[in-house]
Amino acid sequence: MTKFVDSAIVQKMCEVTRQSYERYWDERNGGNVSVRVLDEEVAGYEDNTAVIRSFELGFDASAIAGYYYLTTGTGRYFRNVFNQPTLDLGLVRISEDGRSADLLWGFEDGGKPTSEFPSHLMSHIERLKVNPDQRVVFHCHPTNVIALTFTQELDERHLSRLLWKMQAESLVVFPEGVGVIPYMTPGTTEIGAATAAKMGEYQAVIWPHHGLFASGVSLDETYGLVEVIEKAAMIFSQVSAQGGVIKQDITDHQLQELADAFGVTPHPGFLEV
C-alpha cells in the first residue's frame, strides 16, 4: 500500500495535526487522532490485505471487527506528521476476534499506534451507537480548557453552561454540552472505559488537568468542535483576566431561543427555562 500516503484521508490527517500543533494544542508528543477509514477509501491501493505486524488491544473490540483506522503513533510529535506520515501514521484493521489490530500501512520505522488507541476505539464503538456516520476521535491539550479544570467545579452542567454563555455558537455546535471524567492516569483501559461511557451522551469529554477527547463524522467537523470549545474557554479566561466581573451575559432564555432558531436540543436540565 505504498501509494496510500497520497490518499485524501492521509493528507487531511497531516493538515489537521499540523494545525493542531501550531495552535499549541499538542506540544511535544501530546495528542493523538484516529479516523475510521471506509472500505472504498482503502480499495484501489495495491496489496491492501498484507499484514505487516499486529498489536494487542487489551480489550474486546469485536464490535468493530474488520474496520480500518488511520491513527497517529505513540511517542510521535504532531509537528512532524506533515513531513513524515509514513513514519508517524499507521493504517490498521481490527482483527476478527477484536483482540488485536493488524498494521497494513505506515509506522515504517517500527512504530505502533498511540498508547491511547484502545481509548479511541472504545469511544468509536460508543459513538457509532449514537451516529453510524461517526468516524473521528481527536485527543488534544487545549490550554484554556485545561485551565478551567483548575478553577471551576468539575461538573458537566456547570462547565457546559459556562461555555455556552461565552459565545452564541457554542450551544449550536455542542448542544449536548461537555462530559467530564475524574482525573485518571492516561493510556489505560480504565480511562478509555470512563471516556467511552460519557461518549454515549457527549461528543466531547474533558479530561481534568490533561485535555479533551472530541468526536465527529469528519476530521474537519471534529477539529471545529475543539475550536469552538477552546474559543469559549479562552473568552472566559479573558473575562477573568479583566477582573472576572460579568455585567451581562447570554441568558438561559436567550440560549433556548437560540436553540429553537437553529433546531438543536440543549442537554435536558442544563437550562433554567
Side-chain angles (χ1 to χ4, degrees):
M1 296 188 69
T2 55
K3 294 183 179 179
F4 189 69
V5 69
D6 298 321
S7 67
I9 193 68
V10 169
Q11 296 306 305
K12 176 59 72 171
M13 183 78 97
C14 291
E15 174 190 324
V16 167
T17 51
R18 188 179 201 178
Q19 290 177 354
S20 189
Y21 167 73
E22 290 175 347
R23 298 188 75 159
Y24 303 104
W25 293 354
D26 299 278
E27 69 291 337
R28 199 172 180 268
N29 63 321
N32 30 79
V33 187
S34 65
V35 55
R36 178 166 58 89
V37 181
L38 304 179
D39 290 348
E40 55 265 34
E41 293 174 313
V42 176
Y45 293 99
E46 74 279 10
D47 198 21
N48 64 2
T49 60
V51 176
I52 300 170
R53 55 185 178 275
S54 299
F55 313 97
E56 293 298 317
L57 295 176
F59 83 105
D60 181 5
S62 56
I64 49 174
Y67 284 22
Y68 297 94
Y69 288 93
L70 182 67
T71 179
T72 51
T74 185
R76 302 310 172 103
Y77 293 19
F78 270 23
R79 67 171 178 264
N80 294 333
V81 175
F82 189 88
N83 292 319
Q84 52 183 46
T86 62
L87 303 183
D88 296 337
L89 300 177
L91 177 70
V92 302
R93 182 181 57 220
I94 307 304
S95 65
E96 288 305 312
D97 66 2
R99 292 292 178 180
S100 61
D102 299 326
L103 179 65
L104 305 178
W105 172 89
F107 299 146
E108 290 182 349
D109 59 354
K112 59 183 180 180
T114 169
S115 62
E116 303 289 2
F117 193 49
S119 294
H120 279 242
L121 295 180
M122 291 177 190
S123 287
H124 276 292
I125 290 169
E126 289 306 312
R127 290 306 302 174
L128 279 168
K129 297 175 184 176
V130 178
N131 181 357
D133 294 327
Q134 158 73 45
R135 294 184 64 184
V136 178
V137 171
F138 189 102
H139 172 54
C140 58
H141 304 158
T143 305
N144 293 280
V145 171
I146 295 172
L148 281 182
T149 68
F150 288 96
T151 64
Q152 300 299 304
E153 182 182 356
L154 298 178
D155 174 78
E156 290 160 347
R157 182 176 185 272
H158 169 69
L159 289 174
S160 297
R161 287 169 55 81
L162 183 155
L163 295 169
W164 286 347
K165 286 174 176 286
M166 289 299 103
Q167 57 181 352
E169 68 176 331
S170 288
L171 180 70
V172 177
V173 173
F174 54 101
E176 71 281 358
V178 292
V180 184
I181 63 171
Y183 177 82
M184 303 175 70
T185 301
T188 64
T189 55
E190 289 77 15
I191 197 171
T195 305
K198 295 291 184 180
M199 280 289 184
E201 189 173 2
Y202 302 96
Q203 276 191 272
V205 178
I206 294 174
W207 287 10
H209 322 320
H210 183 138
L212 186 71
F213 241 61
S215 62
V217 300
S218 69
L219 283 164
D220 277 339
E221 182 197 74
T222 311
Y223 186 86
L225 172 61
V226 177
E227 282 184 305
V228 173
I229 294 173
E230 170 64 358
K231 178 64 175 290
M234 183 186 300
I235 294 170
F236 181 79
S237 293
Q238 290 296 308
V239 170
S240 300
Q242 294 178 26
V245 178
I246 297 178
K247 295 185 177 180
Q248 55 275 321
D249 66 2
I250 305 174
T251 67
D252 283 37
H253 180 71
Q254 290 169 332
L255 285 172
Q256 186 60 60
E257 288 182 336
L258 185 67
D260 294 340
F262 282 87
V264 298
T265 303
H267 192 291
F270 280 14
L271 292 183
E272 297 176 358
V273 292

